[in-house]
Amino acid sequence: MLYQDYRNVTFEQIELMKRTIGFDGTRLRGLKYKSFRIRKNDFCAGGGDTKQLHYLCSVGMMEHCNENHYRLTMDGITLLGYVTEVEILGW
């Protein structure tokens, strides 16, 4: 993942990525080195979110599964870990 890929990702898009995996900051483990275990990786898009989600798909942070369902890619999970300063673990 290159810097050019994620330098234009907005705060709204980061929030969509957090909602995709259910990240809300309450289920963090550890005090010094925080971690979060993904329990879901699915987002059902509404009408206003599709433009943001299509941009995230175009830069490789998310992928379109079917109709209006999206999920994070490994690059998206890595970026979210950098932004939140939390180690995000798969399921």
Side-chain angles (χ1 to χ4, degrees):
M1 176 173 55
L2 300 173
Y3 175 72
Q4 299 92 295
D5 294 339
Y6 62 87
R7 67 179 173 191
N8 293 326
V9 174
T10 65
F11 179 75
E12 282 181 1
Q13 293 164 341
I14 295 293
E15 290 300 314
L16 286 173
M17 292 168 70
K18 285 181 182 179
R19 281 195 283 163
T20 302
I21 61 170
F23 182 92
D24 60 0
T26 59
R27 294 184 300 172
L28 297 179
R29 291 188 171 29
L31 297 174
K32 187 173 182 181
Y33 302 105
K34 296 181 180 182
S35 65
F36 175 80
R37 181 158 306 277
I38 296 174
R39 294 204 173 119
K40 71 171 191 114
N41 189 1
D42 182 50
F43 184 76
C44 185
D49 298 329
T50 55
K51 183 178 178 185
Q52 303 290 339
L53 293 169
H54 284 299
Y55 174 76
L56 290 171
C57 289
S58 71
V59 295
M61 300 297 150
M62 294 186 86
E63 62 185 8
H64 188 223
C65 299
N66 60 17
E67 274 191 47
N68 58 350
H69 288 270
Y70 295 82
R71 67 178 175 184
L72 284 178
T73 61
M74 286 306 296
D75 285 341
I77 292 170
T78 304
L79 173 66
L80 202 53
Y82 289 148
V83 170
T84 59
E85 297 179 349
V86 172
E87 181 183 8
I88 299 177
L89 308 169
W91 61 97

